[in-house]
Every structure is written in structure tokens, then in C-alpha cells.
């Protein structure tokens, strides 16, 4: 069952800072912040939420349909998707822009500072979602503001159940807009910080928000995740990572697994269990798309 994955395709420039951000940033001097971080390790990876989620879903045997825009420098990314067997049917080139770029710096405690240039992503709303008999599920991950708003309405109009995954795009929306996203969505997934922000902006508790959808997941990193259904919470325990190398793309790996489980008709808690396993596996590899899954190990 193909899954439409709305979000970004981006090039990630990933840097490793061997110290701790907290030791370099003085809280009482934030008004005159001027810091520099020495980053001995630097690499460029294929990334973006749509790309990472599609990669995870494909690894699990699903059929991802990323819906995204690339710039004039995006031919390499499109070729990679083709090589992976991921459809580029809904990937469009914007000739007068760069592909989205993320500059990600990670410290020794796996805290991250990210700078993001949206580039071609700002035109993502020009690609429309329409009803199609073979498309039964979708996800809205961080994307251009107009794209997220319009694609949610289009999923609903087409009768396609979808996951609302606002991620780092959440601050773009006010409480009324976020509440409307939840009304349109079938499922919601956020991390613990985003859950607090979503609750603050809508004025609704997570329990209350979960009553408007079939299920809501709050990921807690190394602590596992909460699955909320009809106001009731289930804690899904974490999976211990064999090695912690790079957290970049772990949330996207989880969401690819979530889509896979939902496609199979699994209960939400089982989907989250698979997500925890895939995320714990991914964190042992650098970048968001450099891991391979042993399905026999992951699925049991």
C-alpha cells in the first residue's frame, strides 16, 4: 500500500562538536551571544524528513511516495531515490532555488543545534494531493507552511487517513491552526518538547488532544514513548541501542516504522514498539539514511 510522505528532501551538513553546548553558552549572556564551536568532523548526507521517512519505510518493505521539492542542485538526490527503488513521481524540481539545506551540529551529549534553509521547500504547496485508489495512508512532516496547511486539507478531502507530524515546523502555527490540524488528522506524533508546545498553544492537554484522533504518540527518546488512545496513556518501553553514534534522523526512522505498522493494520502500541526498535538501530549509524535493517531481528 503506497504511503504519501509530505515533507522535505534536504542535504544535511552534519558537524560534531566534541564538547558540551552548555559549557560554552552562558545563560546570563544570551543577550550578547557570540560563540564559535570547533567541529573537527564534518560530512554531507542525504536528509530531510520526507527522505528519511521514505528510506525507513522502504527498508521495512513498504512503498513510500515522497511528495517534496528539490532545487536546481537536486539531481543527485533524485538519482539516489531512483537507485533505492523509491518513487519520484511526486518529487518536483524548482529551477530557481537550492534544495533545502540543514546544518546540524551535535555535541557530546547528543544535543543538537540546527540551522535550516528551506530553499525549494517553500514551493512544496504547488504539488497537490488527490484521491487515488492505491493510496491509503499519508503523513505530513515538517515542510513549507503553505504545503502543510494545504496538504492536510487535501488529505481530508481525498479521504486518505494521515499522520500529523509537525516536528520542527510546529512553531510556525498558532493554537487555532494546530487544533485544526488535529481535527483533520487521523493520528498525531510529536516528541516530548513538541507535545508541551502543542498543548500550550492549543490550550488542550495531550489526553484531550488524543480524544480527537485515533491515536497520539509522544516519543521520549531513550525513555521510549507514550501512546495515547481516547485519553488513556500506554507507556511503550525503550529499546536499548547497541551503540549511540548519531541521533540525526532517529525520529524519522521511527515514523517510517509507524507508517509501516499502520499500513498493516496493527494496534498503535505495536507500531510504536517497531518504531522504538528501528530508532534504536538507526542511532548506531551516522546520518539519516546509512543503515540497513535485518527484518528478522527488527520484527521480533
Amino acid at each position: 500500500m503506497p504511503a504519501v510522505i509530505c515533507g522535505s528532501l534536504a542535504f544535511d551538513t552534519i558537524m560534531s562538536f566534541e564538547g558540551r553546548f552548555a559549557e560554552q553558552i552562558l545563560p546570563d549572556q544570551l543577550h550578547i551571544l557570540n560563540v564559535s564551536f570547533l567541529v573537527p568532523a564534518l560530512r554531507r548526507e542525504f536528509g530531510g524528513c520526507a527522505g528519511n521517512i521514505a528510506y525507513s519505510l522502504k527498508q521495512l518493505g513498504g512503498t513510500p511516495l515522497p511528495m517534496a521539492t528539490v532545487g536546481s542542485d537536486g539531481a543527485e538526490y533524485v538519482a539516489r531515490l531512483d537507485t533505492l527503488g523509491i518513487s519520484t513521481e511526486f518529487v518536483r524540481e524548482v529551477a530557481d532555488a537550492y534544495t533545502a539545506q540543514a546544518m546540524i551540529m551535535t555535541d557530546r551529549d547528543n544535543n543538537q543545534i540546527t540551522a535550516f534553509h528551506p530553499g525549494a521547500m517553500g514551493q512544496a504547496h504547488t504539488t497537490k494531493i488527490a484521491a487515488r485508489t492505491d493510496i491509503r495512508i499519508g503523513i505530513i512532516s515538517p515542510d513549507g507552511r503553505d504545503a502543510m496547511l494545504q496538504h492536510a486539507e487535501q488529505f481530508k478531502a481525498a479521504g486518505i487517513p494521515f499522520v500529523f507530524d509537525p516536528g520542527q515546523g510546529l512553531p510556525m502555527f498558532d493554537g487555532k491552526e494546530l487544533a485544526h490540524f488535529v481535527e483533520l488528522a487521523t493520528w498525531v506524533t510529536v516528541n516530548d518538547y513538541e507535545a508541551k508546545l502543542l498543548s500550550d498553544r492549543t490550550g488542550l492537554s495531550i489526553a484531550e488532544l488524543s480524544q480527537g484522533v485515533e491515536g497520539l504518540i509522544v516519543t521520549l527518546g531513550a525513555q521510549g514513548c507514550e501512546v495515547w488512545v481516547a485519553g488513556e496513556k500506554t507507556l511503550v518501553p525503550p529499546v536499548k541501542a547497541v551503540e549511540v553514534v548519531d541521533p540525526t534522523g532517529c525520529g524519522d526512522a521511527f515514523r517510517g516504522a509507524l507508517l509501516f505498522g499502520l499500513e498493516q493494520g496493527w494496534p498503535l502500541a505495536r507500531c510504536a514498539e517497531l518504531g522504538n526498535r528501528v530508532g534504536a538501530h538507526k542511532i548506531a549509524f551516522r546520518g539519516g539514511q546509512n543503515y540497513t535493517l535485518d527484518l528478522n531481528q527488527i520484527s521480533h
Side-chain angles (χ1 to χ4, degrees), residues 13 43 46 83 86 111 117 122-123 135 156 167 175 193 222 229 261 299:
T13 299
R43 66 189 189 280
F46 296 98
T83 299
I86 295 174
N111 297 307
H117 169 67
Q123 298 299 313
I135 296 174
K156 187 69 172 181
Y193 176 82
V229 176
S299 59

Side-chain angles (χ1 to χ4, degrees), residues 20-65:
R20 292 184 171 92
F21 295 143
E23 295 172 350
Q24 304 293 318
I25 300 174
L26 303 176
D28 60 345
Q29 299 297 311
L30 290 177
H31 63 293
I32 53 170
L33 184 65
N34 186 357
V35 295
S36 176
F37 301 99
L38 179 65
V39 287
L42 182 149
R43 66 189 189 280
R44 191 169 186 252
E45 304 280 4
F46 296 98
C49 292
N52 292 343
I53 294 171
Y55 183 86
S56 172
L57 181 56
K58 183 68 176 180
Q59 287 275 307
L60 289 164
T63 306
L65 295 174

Side-chain angles (χ1 to χ4, degrees), residues 85-97:
I86 295 174
S87 171
T88 56
E89 176 183 357
F90 296 136
V91 177
R92 192 172 63 82
E93 179 184 329
V94 179
D96 59 349

Side-chain angles (χ1 to χ4, degrees), residues 8-210:
S8 62
L9 296 177
F11 292 115
D12 292 343
T13 299
I14 302 173
M15 298 159 280
S16 296
F17 174 55
E18 296 177 350
R20 292 184 171 92
F21 295 143
E23 295 172 350
Q24 304 293 318
I25 300 174
L26 303 176
D28 60 345
Q29 299 297 311
L30 290 177
H31 63 293
I32 53 170
L33 184 65
N34 186 357
V35 295
S36 176
F37 301 99
L38 179 65
V39 287
L42 182 149
R43 66 189 189 280
R44 191 169 186 252
E45 304 280 4
F46 296 98
C49 292
N52 292 343
I53 294 171
Y55 183 86
S56 172
L57 181 56
K58 183 68 176 180
Q59 287 275 307
L60 289 164
T63 306
L65 295 174
M67 180 174 283
T69 46
V70 297
S72 56
D73 58 342
E76 182 183 8
Y77 207 140
V78 174
R80 171 179 170 77
L81 294 174
D82 288 335
T83 299
L84 292 170
I86 295 174
S87 171
T88 56
E89 176 183 357
F90 296 136
V91 177
R92 192 172 63 82
E93 179 184 329
V94 179
D96 59 349
Y98 288 113
T99 301
Q101 314 274 329
M103 280 65 74
I104 304 167
M105 183 163 47
T106 304
D107 75 359
R108 64 187 299 177
D109 294 328
N110 286 318
N111 297 307
Q112 290 186 323
I113 295 175
T114 301
F116 187 75
H117 169 67
M121 193 181 80
Q123 298 299 313
H125 62 280
T126 59
T127 306
K128 310 296 183 185
I129 293 164
R132 211 170 82 179
T133 56
D134 63 325
I135 296 174
R136 304 289 182 83
I137 197 168
I139 186 170
I140 293 178
S141 59
D143 206 349
R145 173 182 163 83
D146 290 342
M148 293 178 73
L149 289 166
Q150 293 178 28
H151 288 160
E153 297 284 358
Q154 291 162 11
F155 270 132
K156 187 69 172 181
I160 300 172
F162 73 94
V163 178
F164 177 50
D165 168 35
Q168 293 178 329
L170 194 153
M172 294 190 294
F173 305 102
D174 61 26
K176 183 178 179 180
E177 291 166 329
L178 290 169
H180 188 54
F181 274 121
V182 176
E183 290 172 2
L184 296 172
T186 315
W187 306 275
V188 175
T189 179
V190 288
N191 65 25
D192 47 354
Y193 176 82
E194 294 155 3
K196 179 67 166 60
L197 185 57
L198 178 62
S199 182
D200 287 348
R201 292 204 172 177
T202 60
L204 299 170
S205 68
I206 293 301
E208 291 170 326
L209 288 165
S210 74

